[in-house]
Amino acid sequence: MGIQLIAEIANAHQGDVDIAIEIAQKAIESGADAIKFQMYTADDLLVSSHKRYQHFKNQSFSKKDWQYIFSSINTNKTKVYLDIFGFESFSISKDFDIYGYKLHFSDLGNQPLLKLLAKTGKDILIGSGGATVTEISKAIKIIESTGKNKITLLHGFQAYPTKIEDTNLDRLKFFKSCFGNKVNLGLSEHIEGDNILSKVIPIMALPYGINVIEKHVTINRAAKGVDYYSSLEISDFKGFVNILRESEKAIGCAENYSEDELNYRKTVKKKWLCNKDLNKGDILSEKDLVMKRDDSEIISLSLEEILSKKVNINIKKETLLKKSFFESKVLAIVVARSSSSRLPGKATMNIVDDPTIVHLFKRLQISLDRGIIDKIAFCTTDEKEDNELVELIKPFNVDIYRGETENVLKRMSLAFNSHLDYDIILRITGDDLLIDPEYLEKGICYHKENNLDYTDC
């Protein structure tokens, strides 16, 4: 899932319901994943004697106003979040189909309100600007102990506008170290809307692993209405959406290589070739080698895989060096135990008078006799029940290694660490009783001809 972009309407509506609806609809048309309103009453926010009491009373909407707003927005197609600032606004919010709530940092200590929001089961955004780690931690614990909500911690605060240096993106890294996988992270960015960095900084936050970006929007910045400071005009917001979606592609995944990058590697990477004709029996040194590009799909061996090797055929100048040009030793490791979780007891199951594991070793013996493989090792556990397996394979020319029950790789390592002069390791499961010598040989040849590190037969 990509970044969820929330268009924050805040008080850009100037107390006019029609403007609120217009901003919301245009934000949705511009590509916002969700919109967010601030639902409050003046009495939720302030004491009546506060100098801004009347301002917020004028800006706030009545329950009837909210009914009109929600009836004009298709909440089936659009996620709507609400900032809730008190019990009165929470009570109003319950009448509407909303996707989630945001709790302002100023209410982080309001435990009764936190519990009410948590009991809804809806997504909760937590504003962290100005909050201490202790306050945030307590709020998260209350939500976790009350409900099963998806929590997103939003970094950022509104300073009308916020200074560039106060954006402090590195705090996202700090939050990750504090809260791990308990919460998702998001950015609530509030620098000046006409500054180019108001579009750049959210993009810079993408590598911090954020899931949400909250962005203020307005109809007309020039009017300098309430909350215009950090708001993008709708036309700029649409451009920002496009930049964000393209930028998300650039983050990618550390483990993945694109087809184009793999093709680039194939075409550009140099490979080790011989810089002169070589004769069978020559021992390779650096003076025999050169690195150049060639047109084949075959990967190059490393220098360590080539030096001091004796070639087993005549080789023409500028030939790509392959594993098949050198003698190699092949170790076949059979892995089996009696209480296999996948096929318990199969190794000792009789077929035509012999246990299946005996059939397997008989067929491997054919490969050994033909020189397809050079050595067989058997890896099983220290459990008493696997003594039977050890006795069954003793008649064969096999090295036996026993180790931990649950750690298959560690058991195998006992075998290959004792055969460090071998070049190819075959891993064979104990239930592969029909292993075919000719097919095995083809697999080994394919592996050597293509200079592969790993081949699945």
Side-chain angles (χ1 to χ4, degrees):
M1 179 183 173
I3 300 295
Q4 182 179 196
L5 180 58
I6 302 174
E8 165 66 277
I9 295 166
N11 289 304
H13 51 68
Q14 320 299 316
D16 187 317
V17 291
D18 290 320
I19 293 177
I21 293 167
E22 182 184 2
I23 297 173
Q25 289 176 336
K26 287 186 175 178
I28 294 163
E29 290 166 6
S30 298
D33 298 303
I35 54 173
K36 184 162 72 63
F37 294 106
Q38 293 184 355
M39 181 177 277
Y40 59 86
T41 67
D43 291 315
D44 267 341
L45 282 172
L46 316 158
V47 295
S48 56
S49 60
H50 196 285
K51 62 182 179 182
R52 301 200 72 197
Y53 179 85
Q54 194 57 46
H55 164 82
F56 281 104
K57 193 171 182 66
N58 295 338
Q59 293 287 323
S60 62
F61 294 139
S62 66
K63 186 173 182 177
K64 187 176 179 181
D65 291 333
W66 284 115
Q67 288 170 340
Y68 174 60
I69 290 169
F70 274 88
S71 66
S72 303
I73 298 170
N74 187 345
T75 53
N76 290 325
K77 291 185 177 180
T78 305
K79 295 176 182 177
V80 178
Y81 288 89
L82 291 178
D83 278 271
I84 295 297
F85 289 89
F87 300 105
E88 192 174 350
S89 50
F90 175 73
S91 178
I92 296 171
S93 76
K94 291 192 294 182
D95 289 342
F96 304 107
D97 181 16
I98 66 165
Y99 187 80
Y101 290 100
K102 180 180 176 184
L103 189 76
H104 192 269
F105 123 79
S106 58
D107 270 311
L108 285 186
N110 193 340
Q111 295 187 15
L113 182 60
L114 270 169
K115 290 177 181 178
L116 284 176
L117 296 183
K119 285 176 182 177
T120 66
K122 296 183 182 295
D123 287 8
I124 295 179
L125 310 173
I126 296 178
S128 70
T132 66
V133 174
T134 302
E135 289 169 334
I136 296 169
S137 183
K138 284 182 178 179
I140 291 171
K141 284 180 182 177
I142 290 169
I143 295 169
E144 286 180 331
S145 63
T146 307
K148 294 182 178 180
N149 313 77
K150 178 182 173 183
I151 305 170
T152 301
L153 184 60
L154 293 179
H155 166 54
F157 68 98
Q158 175 68 281
Y160 305 101
T162 303
K163 295 175 184 176
I164 303 293
E165 57 269 31
D166 288 342
T167 302
N168 195 8
L169 292 179
D170 217 44
R171 188 168 302 167
L172 289 164
K173 190 190 299 181
F174 174 64
F175 283 156
K176 185 70 175 176
S177 69
C178 290
F179 305 111
N181 297 320
K182 287 186 176 183
V183 300
N184 288 327
L185 296 177
L187 180 69
S188 181
E189 179 271 312
H190 295 92
I191 70 171
E192 198 162 8
D194 58 3
N195 187 326
I196 186 64
L197 290 178
S198 68
K199 297 175 186 174
V200 172
I201 286 176
I203 307 303
M204 290 171 60
L206 295 182
Y208 285 87
I210 61 172
N211 301 93
V212 174
I213 292 175
E214 180 187 282
K215 195 73 178 166
H216 281 252
V217 290
T218 190
I219 296 292
N220 181 11
R221 274 184 55 81
K224 295 188 177 182
V226 178
D227 278 334
Y228 88 94
Y229 306 93
S230 53
S231 297
L232 290 179
E233 283 195 22
I234 288 297
S235 57
D236 284 337
F237 179 73
K238 187 172 184 178
F240 170 70
V241 172
N242 293 334
I243 293 170
L244 173 65
R245 296 310 175 204
E246 287 300 304
S247 299
E248 279 185 278
K249 297 176 186 177
I251 300 300
C253 175
E255 295 85 1
N256 292 346
Y257 291 83
S258 70
E259 286 299 319
D260 285 344
E261 187 174 6
L262 291 173
N263 187 56
Y264 172 76
R265 175 184 172 83
K266 287 177 186 176
T267 7
V268 173
K269 186 172 173 61
K270 287 183 175 181
K271 305 173 185 180
W272 284 112
L273 317 172
C274 52
N275 65 4
K276 62 181 182 180
D277 290 348
L278 296 174
N279 298 315
K280 182 178 178 179
D282 286 348
I283 306 295
L284 293 176
S285 63
E286 286 188 21
K287 64 182 176 58
D288 302 314
L289 309 175
V290 65
M291 259 202 152
K292 294 183 181 182
R293 297 175 186 174
D294 82 345
D295 291 327
S296 73
E297 293 286 314
I298 300 170
I299 61 176
S300 176
L301 294 174
S302 67
L303 188 60
E304 293 77 12
E305 292 175 290
I306 298 170
L307 290 179
S308 302
K309 292 284 188 180
K310 180 192 288 187
V311 297
N312 55 18
I313 58 171
N314 295 330
I315 306 172
K316 291 290 185 184
K317 181 180 177 180
E318 291 195 335
T319 298
L320 172 67
L321 294 167
K322 299 179 184 179
K323 291 181 179 180
S324 58
F325 295 171
F326 319 127
E327 294 296 331
S328 56
K329 295 174 73 176
V330 180
L331 173 67
I333 298 179
V334 179
V335 182
R337 63 188 178 101
S338 300
S339 296
S340 162
S341 55
R342 187 168 61 91
L343 294 164
K346 183 174 179 181
T348 53
M349 186 183 297
N350 270 21
I351 298 179
V352 195
D353 300 326
D354 275 328
T356 57
I357 198 160
V358 172
H359 283 288
L360 167 60
F361 277 92
K362 281 182 176 180
R363 295 178 74 86
L364 279 178
Q365 187 65 46
I366 297 171
S367 297
L368 189 66
D369 294 341
R370 291 183 183 178
I372 297 168
I373 59 178
D374 299 282
K375 190 76 175 176
I376 305 171
F378 177 57
C379 296
T380 190
T381 77
D382 289 322
E383 303 290 341
K384 288 183 180 179
E385 62 186 6
D386 288 324
N387 291 344
E388 181 182 1
L389 297 179
V390 171
E391 290 301 316
L392 285 170
I393 59 98
K394 270 186 177 178
F396 299 93
N397 182 21
V398 175
D399 291 345
I400 297 170
Y401 299 89
R402 305 185 71 170
E404 295 178 19
T405 302
E406 298 300 326
N407 195 331
V408 180
L409 186 59
K410 193 168 183 179
R411 275 185 269 139
M412 289 177 62
S413 72
L414 296 174
F416 55 70
N417 284 334
S418 298
H419 296 83
L420 295 178
D421 56 332
Y422 280 69
D423 307 285
I424 296 173
I425 306 293
L426 297 176
R427 179 187 181 274
I428 301 166
T429 57
D431 60 313
D432 193 5
L433 73 161
L434 295 180
I435 190 162
D436 184 83
E438 292 180 7
Y439 187 54
L440 196 60
E441 186 174 24
K442 285 183 178 181
I444 293 169
C445 288
Y446 181 85
H447 180 83
K448 291 163 68 173
E449 274 295 308
N450 291 278
N451 288 345
L452 298 174
D453 293 319
Y454 173 80
T455 301
D456 184 353
C457 293

